[in-house]
Every structure is written in C-alpha cells, then in structure tokens.
Amino acid sequence: MPKVGSKNRKSRRRLPRKTAEILFTTVVLLLSFCLISRSIPLSGEVQTNRAVSVGKKALALTFDDGPGEATGKLLDGLSKNGVKATFFVIGLHAEKYPDTVRRIVAEGHLLGNHTYSHLNLLTHTISASRAEIEKNADLLEKLTGVRPQYFRAPHGYVSALELKMIDSVFVRWSFDTLDWKHSDADYVYKRILSAARDGAILLLHDTHSTTVEGVLRAIPELKKQGYELVRVDDLLQRNGEKLHYGVPYRECAYGKKTVAY
Ligand code: NI
C-alpha cells in the first residue's frame, strides 16, 4: 500500500513539469514567430508592373515540386478555364521537363523557385542553402529568360536567419491540402472546396496525377461560386501593398493587409 501512495505522489509531481515543458515550448514558438514576422530588417522590395485587378473573391492555387508528368494536363485545364496559377519548381525536375517550364511562363503563370534538389534548408548551412536557391534561379532564368522573384522553401522549413538572406519574396500557404498524403482525386477536390475562401493560398503538388484530376474538377465549381483564381503575386499585391524580402507571406484578403508568419 505505501508503494501505491508513493507512486501517486510521484505522478502528481511530474504533471507540473510536463505543463511547464509545454508552456516553455509554446513561448519559444511564439517568440520565433514574432522574430520572423516583425524584428527582421527587410532586405528588399518587390514591385511588379503587372496591371492585374483582382476582385473581392479570389484565391491562389500553388503547385510545388514539379514539373511532373501530369503538369501538361494541368496546364491544358488551366488554359481551358482561363485560370492563372503559381508553380514552385525544383531544378532537378525542370531539367527533366524543360518544355513544361517554358510553357508555364509562356502561358502567363508565375514561376517560383523551390530549390534545385528540394533541399531541407534547416539542416544545411546558409551558404549551401543559398547555393541551391541560386543554382535553381540560374537554371530557370536560362530556360525561360525570367529570373524567379518568388520562393517557397521545401516543406516550408526555413530559419529566421535564412529568411533574411533570401533575395526573393517568400511564400508560405494558408491551407495545406495534404494532396501528397492522400493520392485520391475525390479527396483533393473536396479539400479544395472546403478550404476555399477569399485571400487563401492553397498548397498542392502537380507531381501527383490525382491532384491534377482533383484540381481540374474543383476549378469549374470554384468559378461557379464566384472565385477568381489568380497568381500568388497578384493576390498578395491586390490591395496595393508593396512586398518585401524576408517576410513569410501566407494570405491576402480583399481590403486587408497581407498576413505573414
Ligand atoms: Ni516541396
């Protein structure tokens, strides 16, 4: 019996320690967000000359990791529906599908940088990360004549210091469709429709044929609901705000400031 009592006392003592650990982690995360979103000096500013007017109900479809085999079919569907999107491509795949990369630009979509080999920036030095980003930018410029100004980190991972060093507009997302996890067109279709709201940036992957199928089914429905589907640069600048390097943008609703963290 005394043993039971001592066990209970031990577990009672352990609980506050766990709570303290959770609180500590929360505070560290909050401080990191504050550091990333507010304290870092801005290293650049981007202004586009695009005269694109974006209405009151709009969102951006963004496709990472491509191009892939299904990207051509996706481009056909976007063109048929008069829709513009954003592609954060990786260099290894751009080398495999150079014509698709050229087509992305030629058809008026935004071409973004996603590193040369999908490098996890958090586990590499800043100079290695910069080299990967520059290598991909050089390649995409060589292929299309246009140097990408927009960047998304593989997995979304980036340190506060790296964020400061990247000479591109850093784009996150407001909604992860998890299309890579569920290779199911019906799932992707439903996730897109449930996530649709003004100002949203949806994360998708054109390397999955099920994603392409789900997206092409969702587009007519989104248009029926009154959504304009626009490039991420047009969405983020819809209210006339100038964009800065070193800021992790994630959404931009009509008439409101961009949301970044
Ligand atoms: Ni990725």
Side-chain angles (χ1 to χ4, degrees):
M1 287 309 282
K3 270 185 183 169
V4 174
S6 75
K7 251 188 187 172
N8 282 345
R9 272 199 302 279
K10 268 187 187 168
S11 62
R12 269 202 299 274
R13 251 182 260 126
R14 252 185 240 125
L15 196 64
R17 200 187 304 153
K18 275 188 184 166
T19 312
E21 278 169 12
I22 291 166
L23 274 172
F24 178 75
T25 311
T26 310
V27 168
V28 168
L29 281 174
L30 278 172
L31 284 173
S32 306
F33 282 143
C34 290
L35 181 73
I36 287 168
S37 60
R38 293 194 178 84
S39 308
I40 292 172
L42 304 171
S43 56
E45 193 174 81
V46 173
Q47 279 176 287
T48 66
N49 296 318
R50 287 170 59 80
V52 175
S53 164
V54 176
K56 290 184 177 179
K57 201 173 177 184
L59 58 82
L61 301 174
T62 65
F63 298 94
D64 286 13
D65 299 356
E69 261 178 47
T71 309
K73 188 182 170 191
L74 174 61
L75 289 169
D76 292 343
L78 296 176
S79 169
K80 192 177 144 205
N81 286 282
V83 161
K84 299 298 179 211
T86 302
F87 293 83
F88 290 100
V89 308
I90 62 174
L92 283 172
H93 290 171
E95 284 172 342
K96 206 172 164 190
Y97 299 96
D99 290 340
T100 310
V101 175
R102 288 188 199 102
R103 213 184 136 191
I104 287 170
V105 173
E107 295 183 8
H109 305 290
L110 180 65
L111 184 67
N113 190 341
H114 197 46
T115 74
Y116 179 75
S117 64
H118 209 258
L119 194 78
N120 181 346
L121 304 184
L122 277 189
T123 58
H124 290 80
T125 62
I126 285 175
S127 62
S129 299
R130 277 187 73 103
E132 267 268 331
I133 295 164
E134 291 299 310
K135 186 178 178 183
N136 197 28
D138 289 346
L139 171 67
L140 298 180
E141 187 175 13
K142 198 177 139 200
L143 287 175
T144 66
V146 182
R147 193 165 188 86
Q149 277 194 298
Y150 289 74
F151 174 78
R152 178 177 278 159
H155 315 286
Y157 300 155
V158 67
S159 70
L161 198 56
E162 280 169 337
L163 192 59
K164 191 181 162 188
M165 305 291 285
I166 296 167
D167 294 335
S168 307
V169 177
F170 189 85
V171 181
R172 290 182 62 86
W173 54 85
S174 60
F175 189 83
D176 183 354
T177 60
L178 299 177
D179 59 328
W180 54 273
K181 203 173 174 184
H182 303 267
S183 293
D184 175 350
D186 199 44
Y187 175 89
V188 175
Y189 166 79
K190 284 176 184 161
R191 287 279 285 184
I192 292 171
L193 293 183
S194 69
R197 64 186 163 97
D198 175 54
I201 298 174
L202 305 191
L203 172 62
L204 296 144
H205 299 81
D206 53 321
T207 40
H208 294 259
S209 58
T210 42
T211 294
V212 170
E213 201 186 314
V215 167
L216 294 180
R217 272 175 60 199
I219 286 174
E221 186 57 38
L222 291 170
K223 288 180 77 175
K224 211 189 289 173
Q225 292 178 17
Y227 284 101
E228 279 177 72
L229 306 176
V230 299
R231 294 168 33 151
V232 103
D233 54 345
D234 294 331
L235 186 82
L236 291 172
Q237 294 175 102
R238 69 195 298 198
N239 302 315
E241 202 177 313
K242 283 176 186 166
L243 303 180
H244 298 275
Y245 297 163
V247 179
Y249 293 102
R250 54 179 285 153
E251 66 176 272
C252 182
Y254 184 80
K256 294 186 178 167
K257 269 184 73 71
T258 50
V259 176
Y261 59 82

